[in-house]
Amino acid sequence: MNVPARSYNFRRLVGESSPPEAWRMLDATVARWVLAHGGSPLLAQLAGWASHAEGRGDSALLLSGDGAGRHGMRAWSTEELAALQAEPMVARAGDVDTGGTPFVLDPPHFYLRRNYLHEAAVARHVRARRATPLPAAGAEPADIDVLFQGDDSARVQPQRQAVAQVLGKRLFVLTGGPGTGKTTTVLRMLMMLIRERATRTQAAPTIRISAPTGKAAQRLSESLRDGAERMRTQQGLMDSGEWQSPLDCALAAEASTVHRLLGSRGRQGGFTHHADNPIAADIVIVDEASMVDLAMLRNLLDALREDTALILVGDADQLTSVGTGSVLLDLVGAMEAEHAPDLVRLMHSFRADQSLVPINQAIRAGDTAAFAAAWQAAGTKAVRRDVATARDLRDALGKWSTALATTLHDVGALDVVRKDDQPAVLRALDALRRRQLLCALRDGEFGADAANAFIERKLKNRADVAADVDWYPGRAVMIARNDYTVGLFNGDAGLCLRDEHGNLAVWFEVTVQGGTATRGETLAEAPAQHASRRAISFAPGGLPDHQGAFAVTIHKSQGSEYDHVAVLLPADPQNRILSRQLLYTAMSRAKLSVELWATDEASEAALATPVRRASGLAARIA
């Protein structure tokens, strides 16, 4: 009969004066669970550290070699590691399928069982998809010339390569930073795939577009629409009508979150689509794939038919997923090591303003000297503010608030906006992409919540709005939870406006396709053929969970772009949130100019600290 874990003396059995300070309550509970079920004190310690490592994003606990001793874990002796093999609760990697042990040892990694199974399944799917191509004709150079209007310059060679090489691939990865043309490349890849499949099978393929968040899925749809409009204006591209049908088919693809694509059962857990009930799609595209965690990728791969082409799109150098693993980074690393034809990395930035590009390149490389030189060369496009104290932060926020108020005033967001004046509403919503404060932290003095509260107080004072009033013209909010009933998703940004009757409403931009808004609201007056921008409104009291959007975390900003960005880092250079990927993600959101609010020590610490999540996935793929 097992004794409840709480009755065990942790200090006596684990041999520690107390659980390690870094551990969460969950980690200590896992260790106690091991003891309660007959595991040794050594295994209890390793189990607790494996739980802690998972909480930090690692899919495995690294026991030896470079990276061992992560997160403050002590070093293990050769004798201790050898003793693990005799533990009844630990399976060797090759024996996992024959038992139900909670832990797996696959030197130099120690796994919680579920993470090992996820990793092994993802690697198995990836190897199988890469080993067996789909039947497909090769791309004709003349067709690629048409799609690129004859442009064969060096800057578009990787894009042309992606369009040529995607045919026949069951898995294809497209990676690159902001402004490198990922979306326009995806559109051309889709058009090539659609035409090839339609020619071969005499039927248009079923396409599903998805992203980890509703905001990212909507943004991809909008970007594809914008790219299509540009292509329609290209001389000669649509003259023959040969590419019109593939273009229309690409734009008609349904976009959703990955959860919705899989048929999430919500609180019941699991998905309606899996190996025995696969997703009905010939082509599946996942944008912002750096935000996909290990378990989600496993569920997606399980739910795809063998003849479905999967295209993963994202920036491998961005922040990794909030959950476990760094699957896009691992995939790209494994593929680049073998110069694989199913991976293309886009490097050239097509942004009109090139002054920020060297800054982002220096951050990716972790080159402090190059970063300083690039920053100086950017001139007024890149501004440093030494924000070390609360007073420094208040000064910076005061200047930012004044500029933000001017931006809102200039687009009429602080005045009356007629509710039937769609152009005026959309101009006001566009202002939300003009200026954005991004914070490394959410809580605390240097966090997004406090910064947003400060900005809101300033705006209220300027507009003579009482401090206890929640809603006022010009207030920006961000949805914090998906709500399919009303069609608002986590990350959607809205703006409060006053109409001609004095009523307040919160407006959000939507994409309209064939007369129906993608958020579920029918718009009879919408164009019948092509997607267009519209705005829909909600009563403030009818919104799902939301938060202020004048300052958001860097994590929340992934996939977005803004004209002018300010990046706030914590003053303490020892703060564990500081990393190269965090700084790169924040800086690369800016299209025209950027401000860095940080001490020299904090920015240098971020540059010098690359995130390397412990994982065996890249090795398994190889």
Side-chain angles (χ1 to χ4, degrees):
M1 179 177 176
N2 288 329
V3 180
R6 62 178 178 273
S7 69
Y8 277 77
N9 186 303
F10 184 88
R11 297 182 182 185
R12 177 172 57 84
L13 289 176
V14 182
E16 298 271 0
S17 59
S18 62
E21 186 177 346
W23 281 14
R24 304 165 296 172
M25 185 179 294
L26 174 62
D27 309 329
T29 300
V30 170
R32 291 189 176 99
W33 183 90
V34 170
L35 294 172
H37 289 79
S40 69
L42 170 65
L43 180 58
Q45 288 188 57
L46 284 170
W49 279 113
S51 171
H52 180 75
E54 182 188 51
R56 299 290 295 274
D58 294 345
S59 59
L61 186 67
L62 194 55
L63 300 178
S64 61
D66 293 340
R70 290 161 59 84
H71 316 309
M73 183 183 72
R74 73 175 178 86
W76 309 99
S77 68
T78 303
E79 293 74 19
E80 286 176 318
L81 297 181
L84 279 178
Q85 301 183 39
E87 291 278 355
M89 300 174 83
V90 179
R92 295 283 295 189
D95 301 326
V96 172
D97 293 335
T98 61
T101 59
F103 308 106
V104 178
L105 179 63
D106 189 11
H109 295 106
F110 177 82
Y111 288 88
L112 301 178
R113 179 185 178 86
R114 64 172 176 272
N115 288 335
Y116 175 82
L117 294 177
H118 289 331
E119 241 188 41
V122 168
R124 183 173 63 251
H125 279 301
V126 168
R127 289 196 305 268
R129 285 186 165 274
R130 300 183 70 200
T132 310
L134 291 167
E140 294 293 334
D143 290 333
I144 297 176
D145 278 340
V146 171
L147 288 175
F148 285 88
Q149 276 196 295
D151 185 357
D152 62 354
S153 62
R155 65 177 193 162
V156 300
Q157 283 305 317
Q159 293 190 19
R160 292 173 64 102
Q161 181 184 355
V163 175
Q165 293 175 186
V166 72
L167 294 177
K169 303 294 191 301
R170 296 170 62 203
L171 172 67
F172 193 88
V173 178
L174 180 69
T175 188
T180 54
K182 293 191 296 295
T183 304
T184 55
T185 304
V186 166
L187 180 59
R188 290 179 169 96
M189 290 165 64
L190 266 179
M191 292 172 68
M192 184 66 79
L193 283 168
I194 291 166
R195 198 186 71 154
E196 191 280 330
R197 286 215 177 194
T199 301
R200 180 166 46 84
T201 66
Q202 303 303 305
T206 301
I207 305 166
R208 296 295 301 274
I209 295 172
S210 66
T213 67
K215 176 184 177 182
Q218 182 205 8
R219 188 169 48 249
L220 177 59
S221 291
E222 292 170 351
S223 297
L224 290 175
R225 177 202 70 215
D226 293 342
E229 291 302 320
R230 289 192 296 270
M231 293 185 77
R232 288 191 178 101
T233 63
Q234 292 177 1
Q235 184 67 33
L237 180 58
M238 299 300 171
D239 288 352
S240 66
E242 183 181 6
W243 292 102
Q244 185 64 59
S245 179
L247 182 61
D248 290 341
C249 183
L251 293 180
E254 181 181 349
S256 69
T257 64
V258 179
H259 277 82
R260 200 168 195 186
L261 173 67
L262 287 168
S264 172
R265 292 196 178 103
R267 294 181 179 179
Q268 297 178 12
F271 302 96
T272 58
H273 291 296
H274 41 71
D276 296 325
N277 181 33
I279 298 166
D282 300 301
I283 302 168
V284 171
I285 296 175
V286 179
D287 195 22
E288 299 297 339
S290 63
M291 299 166 65
V292 176
D293 64 25
L294 179 65
M296 185 56 66
L297 183 60
R298 189 258 174 97
N299 285 317
L300 176 62
L301 289 167
D302 281 348
L304 294 180
R305 300 189 319 234
E306 290 188 2
D307 64 343
T308 298
L310 173 63
I311 301 174
L312 299 177
V313 184
D315 187 349
D317 297 306
Q318 272 193 184
L319 282 166
T320 49
S321 66
V322 175
T324 303
S326 50
V327 293
L328 183 63
L329 184 65
D330 292 341
L331 273 170
V332 170
M335 291 175 164
E336 282 189 327
E338 58 185 81
H339 305 289
D342 43 9
L343 165 75
V344 169
R345 180 187 283 274
L346 305 179
M347 296 292 292
H348 178 80
S349 175
F350 290 87
R351 286 179 175 168
D353 192 319
Q354 295 287 304
S355 58
L356 302 182
V357 174
I359 294 175
N360 295 331
Q361 291 174 340
I363 297 173
R364 286 183 61 241
D367 190 329
T368 304
F371 176 75
W375 195 276
Q376 184 175 6
T380 58
K381 300 288 186 178
V383 176
R384 289 289 296 268
R385 297 190 187 279
D386 185 10
V387 176
T389 66
R391 181 174 180 177
D392 295 336
L393 180 55
R394 286 194 300 271
D395 290 344
L397 285 170
K399 294 181 176 67
W400 186 262
S401 300
T402 299
L404 179 60
T406 300
T407 298
L408 294 172
H409 175 271
D410 289 348
V411 296
L414 307 182
D415 301 321
V416 170
V417 180
R418 294 182 58 88
K419 61 182 180 182
D420 61 350
D421 190 349
Q422 281 281 313
V425 174
L426 290 171
R427 282 196 300 271
L429 284 170
D430 285 341
L432 295 181
R433 290 189 284 268
R434 302 267 181 87
R435 305 182 68 84
Q436 186 63 60
L437 173 59
L438 304 179
C439 306
L441 303 172
R442 185 185 65 182
D443 302 318
E445 190 175 43
F446 280 66
D449 289 348
N452 188 81
F454 182 99
I455 294 171
E456 288 216 34
R457 286 196 300 271
K458 286 290 187 181
L459 293 181
K460 287 180 181 180
N461 289 338
R462 184 185 179 101
D464 198 24
V465 174
D468 60 348
V469 172
D470 290 332
W471 293 100
Y472 55 92
R475 185 189 181 198
V477 295
M478 180 174 285
I479 300 301
R481 175 179 56 83
N482 292 341
D483 190 328
Y484 293 102
T485 304
V486 300
L488 293 175
F489 305 107
N490 183 15
D492 284 345
L495 186 65
C496 183
L497 299 173
R498 188 187 303 279
D499 66 21
E500 66 273 23
H501 304 296
N503 298 320
L504 293 176
V506 186
W507 291 85
F508 294 83
E509 183 181 339
V510 298
T511 301
V512 180
Q513 191 86 39
T516 302
T518 59
R519 305 302 179 85
E521 178 173 323
T522 299
L523 298 171
E525 70 275 27
Q529 293 183 339
H530 304 309
S532 64
R533 296 177 67 203
R534 297 288 293 178
I536 57 175
S537 63
F538 296 84
L543 292 180
D545 291 346
H546 56 274
Q547 62 193 48
F550 290 126
V552 300
T553 62
I554 297 169
H555 277 86
K556 278 279 190 181
S557 74
Q558 289 188 85
S560 299
E561 289 186 291
Y562 312 95
D563 290 346
H564 309 285
V565 168
V567 180
L568 174 60
L569 301 183
D572 179 12
Q574 300 301 316
N575 194 300
R576 74 181 193 182
I577 200 169
L578 294 173
S579 72
R580 188 178 302 166
Q581 283 89 340
L582 182 86
L583 187 60
Y584 170 80
T585 301
M587 290 291 184
S588 59
R589 301 309 96 202
K591 294 194 293 184
L592 299 179
S593 69
V594 67
E595 296 181 16
L596 178 56
W597 300 359
T599 62
D600 289 341
E601 294 79 8
S603 57
E604 288 170 5
L607 273 170
T609 311
V611 173
R612 293 284 186 269
R613 288 186 168 178
S615 163
L617 181 60
R620 294 184 201 285
I621 291 171

